[in-house]
Amino acid sequence: MDILEAAIHLFARRGFLATTMADLSRAIRMTPGALYWHFPTKEDLLLAAIEELHQRCLRAFQLPGDDRERPAREQFQSICERTHLLLREHREYGIFFAMLAAEAADSNDQVAEAIRDKLALYVTTLERLIRHGQQMGEFRQDVDALAAAHSLLGGLLGMLVHQNLFRASVDYDPLYRAVMLIHQAGLVQATGFDCVNASQS
């Protein structure tokens, strides 16, 4: 676990391409030989870190199943709140996925596929929730549910990278609220629903 924790933080800060096994061994305070014994390649370590972080996010998000009884707006608000709190406390989680997705898309098919596989679960959950809201008349009918789900997830990941760059002058909370307001305005019917204000508590 210590190895994966250090790897997550280092990959989030430096990316996959710029991080070497020597960098990782120093961060973990382990000899290179011992690190190679656990993970023969940097890619093996990265894939294990992706899986570890994915499991942490699943536990934190508690993604809803196919719940047709609860209003979609209520489920969406719950996801907003958990996402806000998790990324406020662990911004490196989102930066990790964003950095690796940007690097691996054109340089490492195996890593790119692993990232797509994990992120697809969140996209599918959001898409299903949006479709449920459309069927119930809570969300707009003219919105493409899959595109909206990708847009929301991509917007949040991009926001985290941007805020990290401007962290000396830009705080996380206002940017999060802005991203959610934009998506909320484009998604929900004019019913007074406001997941942004609810997530500030």
Side-chain angles (χ1 to χ4, degrees):
M1 184 65 72
D2 289 342
I3 296 175
L4 296 180
E5 180 69 18
I8 289 168
H9 282 268
L10 196 56
F11 284 132
R13 287 201 311 270
R14 302 190 57 185
F16 172 63
L17 299 177
T19 301
T20 67
M21 288 293 271
D23 296 328
L24 290 161
S25 65
R26 282 193 296 271
I28 300 164
R29 298 183 179 179
M30 179 181 288
T31 65
L35 181 58
Y36 277 112
W37 186 85
H38 288 284
F39 298 98
T41 69
K42 181 174 68 170
E43 187 175 89
D44 291 328
L45 177 52
L46 176 58
L47 293 172
I50 291 170
E51 180 61 33
E52 169 64 24
L53 188 50
H54 176 58
Q55 293 303 320
R56 293 183 192 181
C57 290
L58 287 180
R59 290 191 294 270
F61 282 131
Q62 302 172 15
L63 294 177
D66 192 11
D67 188 349
R68 298 291 175 172
E69 300 300 321
R70 292 175 61 204
R73 294 182 301 173
E74 181 182 318
Q75 296 182 58
F76 192 78
Q77 177 177 320
S78 180
I79 290 177
C80 286
E81 292 171 351
R82 288 196 295 269
T83 302
H84 185 201
L85 295 176
L86 177 67
L87 295 180
R88 174 196 279 168
E89 184 175 355
H90 298 289
R91 267 164 280 180
E92 72 276 8
Y93 288 6
I95 293 171
F96 174 92
F97 280 120
M99 289 280 289
L100 294 181
E103 288 188 326
D106 295 315
S107 66
N108 190 304
D109 291 340
Q110 187 175 4
V111 173
E113 182 61 29
I115 293 287
R116 278 194 296 268
D117 181 62
K118 307 311 180 192
L119 295 183
L121 175 61
Y122 307 104
V123 170
T124 299
T125 299
L126 289 170
E127 179 191 12
R128 184 173 61 239
L129 183 53
I130 292 167
R131 291 192 189 282
H132 173 46
Q134 290 173 327
Q135 292 168 1
M136 300 302 294
E138 300 173 81
F139 296 162
R140 290 171 48 176
Q141 302 296 319
D142 60 341
V143 172
D144 184 298
L146 179 58
H150 275 292
S151 176
L152 179 55
L153 181 60
L156 287 174
L157 293 178
M159 179 272 292
L160 289 168
V161 173
H162 186 84
Q163 191 273 328
N164 189 51
L165 179 63
F166 288 91
R167 61 184 179 273
S169 58
V170 178
D171 292 331
Y172 162 76
D173 286 339
L175 286 189
Y176 177 88
R177 287 194 292 270
V179 169
M180 296 309 299
L181 277 171
I182 291 169
H183 284 85
Q184 175 184 319
L187 179 62
V188 302
Q189 302 282 21
T191 56
F193 172 57
D194 189 348
C195 78
V196 176
N197 288 331
S199 71
Q200 294 181 41
S201 58

